[in-house]
Amino acid sequence: MKDFLQNSVALRLLYKMVNGQISEVLPVIGLEDIYYPILKQISEFNGEEGKSFLEKLNLEGYLTKHVYDKVYRCPKCRSMNLRPQLLCPKCKSVDYVQGNLIVHYVCGYIDFEERFVKPDLTLQCPKCGKTLKQIGIDYSNPGYAFKCLDCGEFFHFPFERWVCRVCNNAFQLSEAVVEDVYSYRFNEENRDKVKKAIFYVEPVIKALKEIGFSVECFCELKGKSGSVHMVDILAKNHSKELVIDVEEKGEHSVTVEDTLKFMAKFLDIKTKGS
Ligand SMILES: [Zn+2]
Ligand SMILES: [Zn+2]
Ligand SMILES: [Zn+2]
């Protein structure tokens, strides 16, 4: 890739980061892709292009990357569109119910509370017929659990697996393909270099804003020939659209005064010409 300081998307992004409009480029994890909303605003990159663009900015030292999250993909088709499935750990049925468990120590019978409750609200074991007397002595109440209606198993923790919504593959989380998702921050080590490359437009932008223009920096415009040119500034108000390339004057940057003079001339020409 050509030098990033000649690349309009990179310049637009770095400009926003250097002057603090964006502190971090954050991802959005969708059902099928991972994308960076800021890149959608300033470029036409799709999710994959955006990702590799940020990777290159990282490799070139302009951005640092940080693990923001992890995504899990189907081991068969790599889709992220997964749903959980909780099953009976013994027979893998999905036909189970939850209830409040009672264990009768005297005969070893286990079932949900409602199977023990009599109309007078005392508890009686449906297996041995004895009345339950004192919790912790002749019976216990280990809390809520599941009962499989296919095989009768009681369990606290269902067997968990994931099903791919795209190819219907079912697998355990340990079999999924795990991928780090990154966020990106400006690499402060390169602040001076980037500032030098970018901030020559700043006084012009300031001046344009002061006289009521909305301003976009480092835009790509398509010329009549169809070729794309990058311009430093595209400024618009209700009636005019200005395309401005800022010339650097040797060591010195352009002053606000220079800009206003230039603007006055430009607007004058426009008015006369129209
Ligand atoms: Zn799949
Ligand atoms: Zn079962
Ligand atoms: Zn019993």
Side-chain angles (χ1 to χ4, degrees):
M1 191 183 252
K2 58 185 176 176
D3 185 353
F4 276 107
L5 298 181
Q6 306 287 323
N7 173 293
S8 71
V9 179
L11 286 175
R12 258 175 280 165
L13 180 66
L14 292 172
Y15 180 81
K16 285 177 191 291
M17 296 187 94
V18 171
N19 71 16
Q21 285 173 48
I22 303 169
S23 58
E24 193 166 7
V25 179
L26 295 174
V28 167
I29 300 170
L31 271 184
E32 281 299 344
D33 68 339
I34 297 157
Y35 63 93
Y36 293 84
I38 181 65
L39 289 185
K40 290 213 162 170
Q41 280 173 34
I42 63 171
S43 75
E44 284 172 356
F45 292 153
N46 65 28
E48 274 309 309
E49 290 165 344
K51 248 162 72 182
S52 68
F53 176 76
L54 291 169
E55 272 307 299
K56 282 174 194 155
L57 278 175
N58 167 250
L59 284 175
E60 298 280 330
Y62 294 108
L63 302 178
T64 58
K65 70 175 183 181
H66 308 268
V67 177
Y68 175 82
D69 209 334
K70 284 183 174 18
V71 291
Y72 298 83
R73 293 179 182 276
C74 168
K76 208 165 145 193
C77 77
R78 296 289 191 273
S79 171
M80 299 192 291
N81 194 346
L82 312 174
R83 63 184 176 86
Q85 199 177 48
L86 301 175
L87 308 170
C88 165
K90 195 174 167 197
C91 74
K92 306 290 184 284
S93 168
V94 289
D95 193 9
Y96 53 83
V97 289
Q98 196 179 28
N100 188 16
L101 213 59
I102 300 267
V103 180
H104 192 209
Y105 290 151
V106 178
C107 70
Y109 186 70
I110 303 171
D111 213 331
F112 289 150
E113 188 182 23
E114 62 258 28
R115 297 267 290 137
F116 290 82
V117 180
K118 290 204 300 181
D120 65 359
L121 298 181
T122 58
L123 298 171
Q124 187 186 32
C125 177
K127 187 186 173 199
C128 68
K130 285 190 175 135
T131 300
L132 277 55
K133 292 192 188 93
Q134 199 181 347
I135 190 162
I137 304 295
D138 62 331
Y139 76 97
S140 73
N141 175 212
Y144 279 83
F146 300 99
K147 179 187 183 178
C148 177
L149 299 180
D150 276 336
C151 74
E153 178 83 352
F154 288 95
F155 51 94
H156 276 107
F157 303 104
F159 174 79
E160 180 194 305
R161 69 181 185 186
W162 291 79
V163 180
C164 174
R165 290 180 200 260
V166 175
C167 74
N168 218 31
N169 181 28
F171 53 92
Q172 283 179 263
L173 201 55
S174 59
E175 299 168 81
V177 176
V178 189
E179 185 185 303
D180 284 335
V181 179
Y182 298 100
S183 67
Y184 296 84
R185 294 177 203 149
F186 183 66
N187 184 0
E188 291 299 332
E189 281 173 24
N190 272 325
R191 177 171 284 273
D192 286 346
K193 186 177 166 193
V194 172
K195 258 189 141 169
K196 228 181 241 171
I198 282 177
F199 271 60
Y200 64 95
V201 295
E202 193 80 318
V204 184
I205 289 171
K206 196 168 162 239
L208 286 164
K209 282 186 175 163
E210 271 169 19
I211 55 169
F213 278 89
S214 70
V215 178
E216 261 183 76
C217 321
F218 310 113
C219 303
E220 276 176 344
L221 295 181
K222 220 176 214 174
K224 276 188 186 142
S225 64
S227 59
V228 175
H229 307 277
M230 185 171 79
V231 297
D232 289 340
I233 298 170
L234 180 66
K236 289 177 192 172
N237 70 4
H238 57 280
S239 61
K240 290 181 187 69
E241 195 174 292
L242 308 179
V243 173
I244 299 167
D245 271 319
V246 182
E247 282 279 336
E248 280 188 271
K249 295 163 89 185
E251 284 294 292
H252 309 287
S253 60
V254 182
T255 64
V256 173
E257 208 180 317
D258 289 336
T259 311
L260 290 175
K261 263 188 220 157
F262 164 80
M263 289 283 308
K265 221 190 286 174
F266 186 90
L267 293 174
D268 194 37
I269 292 165
K270 273 286 245 199
T271 321
K272 273 184 200 155
S274 60

